[in-house]
Amino acid sequence: MKYVIIGAVAGGASTAARLRRLNEKAEIVIFEKGEFISYANCGLPYYIGDVIKDRNALFVQTATAFNKRFNIDVRTLTEVTSIDSEKKTVTAFNQVTGKEYEESYDKLVLSPGAEPIKPPLPGITNEGIFTLRNVVDTDYIKAFVNQKQVKKAVIIGAGFIGLEMAENLHDIGLEVSVIEMGNQILAPLDFPIAALVQEHIRSKGVNILLNSAVTAFEKTETGLKVILKNNEVLDADVVIMSIGVRPDTRLAIKAGLKLGDAKGIWVNEFLQTSNPDIYAVGDAIEFTNPITNLSMNTYLAGPANKQGRICANNMVLGNKQTYNGAINTAIVKVFDMTVATAGTASKQLTKSGIKHIVSTTHNGSHAGYYPGAKQMSIQIAFSPDDGRLLSAQIAGYDGVDKRIDILSSVIKRSSTIYELAEFEHAYAPPYSSAKDPINMAGFVAENILQERLRVFYWNEFDKIGKDDVLLDVRTKEEFDRGNINGAINIPVDNLRERINELDTSKNIFIYCQAGLRGYLAQRILTQNGFDKVLNLSGGYQLWKACTNETERAKQLESGFYA
């Protein structure tokens, strides 16, 4: 049996290695149009930022080592230009020798990855404008920044790579601006969690311009001018384009393979394309989202590596192992914060017509009495019918990674918020609290489903009428430091003795700093004849972050914010 694989990074390399482990006698040929195979894409920004000092650390395997260990014919700097599915051959072009030739196959695997989006803007080919997708891009950027003594950087796009580049360029001393067409950073997040992170980024001196788009670039004697849609101009020495990627489907289209609704290579549950002898893995494919049941792409190394293993199993052992899709579990370091997401964001659930409830909680990363505890904010979305967990997003400083992995597992298994409430974690003061933030998120969600807790959200203050009561149950000192306009202050610890100051016939909208004291106040009131009481999900701190960011955007659009 002869296997040919096109693409030798995450999906392709993992497919090849698994094939060899399953079949020592098979002939395996892997083509890679670039110079390098099996490198750590996710580490590239950190090499530019001098966090990773040794360039060789980026390479999981070299072509020579891969060949020696797995006896696989690795052909780098060789681009496959076409596939003849009837003859079962590929045409390859060796970029070093200039030779073009055909190679036969019994089974073919496509793993061409994705290509960066680079819109045809005026001036986009000027020196100093880069995309970051591979090692060669990294080398160019690092050399340019060092040799040109770059001082100002503009990042276009506030996705995962864009923010990692912003942090790393900032940390080597550059003045950084981030331009984002959307109304928030990190599109997979919902706005409230994004707002918390935006505040943190701004605190580092990074300029974030939301609802902004670049219309052109101009070369100057000293560098570049980046021209925005509102005619604002930013000076830059280097520009990093990071506005997204799209599946590289050029070979698939030429071969007559089916594409799906998400414009990726269509595959069935066995990762088999519309041609039974051709499989596909990685960024170029699409599959059914297990939550929305809609077609989706994912541009993450984890799913690509797992797909490679499944693909190899099915080619060697027969189509027996199904790929159940991905829920896009992802995490990113943004300066001192860590931000993570899993599942389908509330805004996408709404767009897909999926009923859900959102809840936000704030808790310490470990026991508060043990030094170093830091707050993390967890937002979950779940079904109002059965409590099925649909998404989770976390912004925090410590322990975010282990919590998102737990939540991802619950989402992936279509389990419920009741599991969160009962989750048994390893507890010691340096690592957690007796009630972990995961438990707390589950408790709150359970209270909502069992109607012990009614919530309203930061963007629903228009629901509060002139005869309704907005009640701040924090301490007087907290209230005096900042409050929501129109609120009265009765601290929760004084609520029972001052309950006669409130009218049982009125709607009462409660808030505290994080949500817990508001819940306690709600329980007091509802058991004392008040039946129209709601608590602000996420509390004052989430409201403040969201409203600050919203107001900042309005002022920026009006030209009043500098």
Side-chain angles (χ1 to χ4, degrees):
M1 181 67 73
K2 182 177 181 179
Y3 301 102
V4 169
I5 301 167
I6 300 172
V9 189
S14 62
T15 303
R18 179 64 173 172
L19 282 172
R20 175 57 73 220
R21 293 195 295 272
L22 293 174
N23 189 339
E24 179 63 24
K25 303 300 183 183
E27 183 179 357
I28 304 171
V29 180
I30 186 165
F31 290 97
E32 171 54 51
K33 65 182 178 182
E35 184 180 352
F36 308 103
I37 73 162
S38 195
Y39 56 85
N41 275 65
C42 299
L44 301 180
Y46 299 99
Y47 174 62
I48 292 171
D50 286 339
V51 176
I52 297 172
K53 304 290 186 182
D54 182 3
R55 181 176 177 276
N56 290 327
L58 297 171
F59 302 104
V60 180
Q61 285 277 5
T62 65
T64 301
F66 202 68
N67 172 267
K68 186 174 180 62
R69 174 159 294 180
F70 295 106
N71 188 27
I72 290 171
D73 184 356
V74 184
R75 304 180 190 179
T76 58
L77 293 172
T78 305
E79 182 175 7
V80 174
T81 57
S82 65
I83 300 166
D84 188 327
S85 57
E86 291 188 6
K87 290 172 55 181
K88 298 182 75 170
T89 61
V90 300
T91 300
F93 176 73
N94 186 311
Q95 299 169 50
V96 177
T97 66
K99 177 185 175 183
E100 186 174 79
Y101 61 95
E102 286 189 349
E103 190 76 33
S104 64
Y105 67 83
D106 294 311
K107 299 287 184 183
L108 178 68
V109 180
L110 287 175
S111 184
E115 53 187 354
I117 297 170
K118 198 171 182 180
L121 297 172
I124 198 167
T125 58
N126 281 321
E127 182 186 32
I129 301 174
F130 301 93
T131 57
L132 177 60
R133 188 63 185 166
N134 54 43
V135 175
V136 174
D137 296 337
T138 305
D139 289 339
Y140 283 143
I141 294 169
K142 192 172 180 70
F144 186 88
V145 168
N146 291 337
Q147 293 169 11
K148 300 288 184 177
Q149 297 183 326
V150 165
K151 301 296 183 186
K152 293 184 177 181
V154 171
I155 313 294
I156 302 174
F160 291 94
I161 298 296
L163 293 185
E164 287 174 341
M165 282 301 301
E167 176 185 349
N168 279 280
L169 292 177
H170 172 275
D171 286 353
I172 58 173
L174 275 62
E175 180 183 325
V176 179
S177 295
V178 179
I179 301 169
E180 170 57 46
M181 186 179 293
N183 70 335
Q184 65 169 76
I185 63 168
L186 297 172
L189 297 180
D190 287 308
F191 179 77
I193 297 297
L196 295 172
V197 185
Q198 286 164 200
E199 287 197 323
H200 178 66
I201 295 171
R202 295 187 201 279
S203 75
K204 298 296 181 178
V206 172
N207 183 27
I208 305 175
L209 299 173
L210 302 172
N211 297 306
S212 298
V214 176
T215 57
F217 303 95
E218 289 181 5
K219 186 71 176 173
T220 68
E221 290 184 3
T222 57
L224 294 161
K225 287 191 179 297
V226 182
I227 303 168
L228 306 184
K229 66 178 181 180
N230 62 357
N231 294 321
E232 184 178 354
V233 177
L234 298 179
D235 293 323
D237 300 311
V238 65
V239 173
I240 308 296
M241 300 289 296
S242 184
I243 60 176
V245 296
R246 56 187 162 218
D248 186 347
T249 58
R250 290 170 293 180
L251 274 176
I253 291 171
K254 288 173 69 175
L257 300 180
K258 177 182 174 182
L259 300 188
D261 294 337
K263 307 302 180 186
I265 301 171
W266 177 91
V267 293
N268 64 14
E269 67 271 30
F270 305 112
L271 298 170
Q272 193 174 36
T273 70
S274 52
N275 183 304
D277 292 319
I278 302 177
Y279 291 72
V281 297
D283 295 355
I285 72 168
E286 67 174 68
F287 47 84
T288 301
N289 183 304
I291 296 171
T292 66
N293 291 318
L294 299 174
S295 291
M296 66 173 281
N297 315 105
T298 189
Y299 306 112
L300 299 169
N305 277 281
K306 297 172 183 69
Q307 291 161 14
R309 180 183 178 88
I310 294 169
C311 175
N313 289 348
N314 287 332
M315 285 193 293
V316 174
L317 305 173
N319 288 343
K320 295 179 181 178
Q321 185 175 359
T322 60
Y323 178 63
N324 297 315
I327 58 170
N328 279 358
T329 302
I331 192 166
V332 62
K333 177 182 178 293
V334 184
F335 293 94
D336 303 325
M337 291 192 82
T338 301
V339 192
T341 177
T344 303
S346 172
K347 58 188 175 185
Q348 296 300 330
L349 293 170
T350 299
K351 189 176 179 181
S352 300
I354 297 174
K355 294 188 300 180
H356 64 283
I357 298 170
V358 173
S359 174
T360 303
T361 50
H362 310 285
N363 296 101
S365 55
H366 60 252
Y369 58 83
Y370 187 89
K374 295 182 179 179
Q375 190 179 77
M376 67 171 63
S377 301
I378 300 179
Q379 177 193 287
I380 60 173
F382 51 95
S383 168
D385 299 324
D386 57 8
R388 179 188 173 188
L389 189 62
L390 303 171
S391 73
Q393 299 171 15
I394 310 178
Y397 297 86
D398 185 35
V400 171
D401 52 344
K402 73 174 182 178
R403 271 68 180 216
I404 200 65
D405 287 343
I406 294 163
L407 292 164
S408 174
S409 175
V410 174
I411 296 168
K412 186 82 175 183
R413 290 182 286 105
S414 299
S415 190
T416 70
I417 57 94
Y418 299 107
E419 180 178 340
L420 305 184
E422 298 179 8
F423 180 76
E424 185 176 346
H425 61 290
Y427 161 58
Y431 304 106
S432 184
S433 299
K435 296 177 182 177
D436 189 79
I438 292 289
N439 298 135
M440 297 303 294
F443 295 155
V444 173
E446 185 179 68
N447 283 334
I448 292 172
L449 284 183
Q450 295 176 353
E451 298 185 346
R452 295 193 185 98
L453 171 63
R454 293 175 61 200
V455 295
F456 71 109
Y457 301 97
W458 73 272
N459 58 350
E460 293 184 326
F461 276 74
D462 57 348
K463 291 183 176 180
I464 302 177
K466 63 179 182 179
D467 293 327
D468 298 331
V469 176
L470 180 60
L471 177 61
D472 185 323
V473 297
R474 299 175 300 162
T475 65
K476 183 179 184 302
E477 291 74 18
E478 288 175 291
F479 182 83
D480 290 342
R481 284 196 296 268
N483 56 75
I484 301 174
N485 188 39
I488 64 171
N489 178 221
I490 303 178
V492 65
D493 291 341
N494 304 123
L495 185 57
R496 290 182 180 88
E497 63 198 58
R498 295 178 59 184
I499 202 166
N500 291 334
E501 296 177 28
L502 299 173
D503 187 340
T504 57
S505 68
K506 291 188 175 183
N507 297 314
I508 299 179
F509 293 81
I510 298 175
Y511 72 89
C512 65
Q513 190 68 15
L516 176 58
R517 284 176 289 175
Y519 168 65
L520 298 177
Q522 184 182 48
R523 295 305 300 157
I524 292 169
L525 292 176
T526 55
Q527 294 177 84
N528 279 278
F530 295 82
D531 59 1
K532 293 177 285 189
V533 186
L534 290 89
N535 184 35
L536 178 61
S537 182
Y540 178 78
Q541 69 179 83
L542 190 69
W543 171 87
K544 188 171 179 60
C546 292
T547 52
N548 281 352
E549 286 297 312
T550 302
E551 186 60 31
R552 184 185 291 269
K554 288 179 182 177
Q555 292 175 338
L556 193 62
E557 285 183 10
S558 302
F560 294 121
Y561 195 89

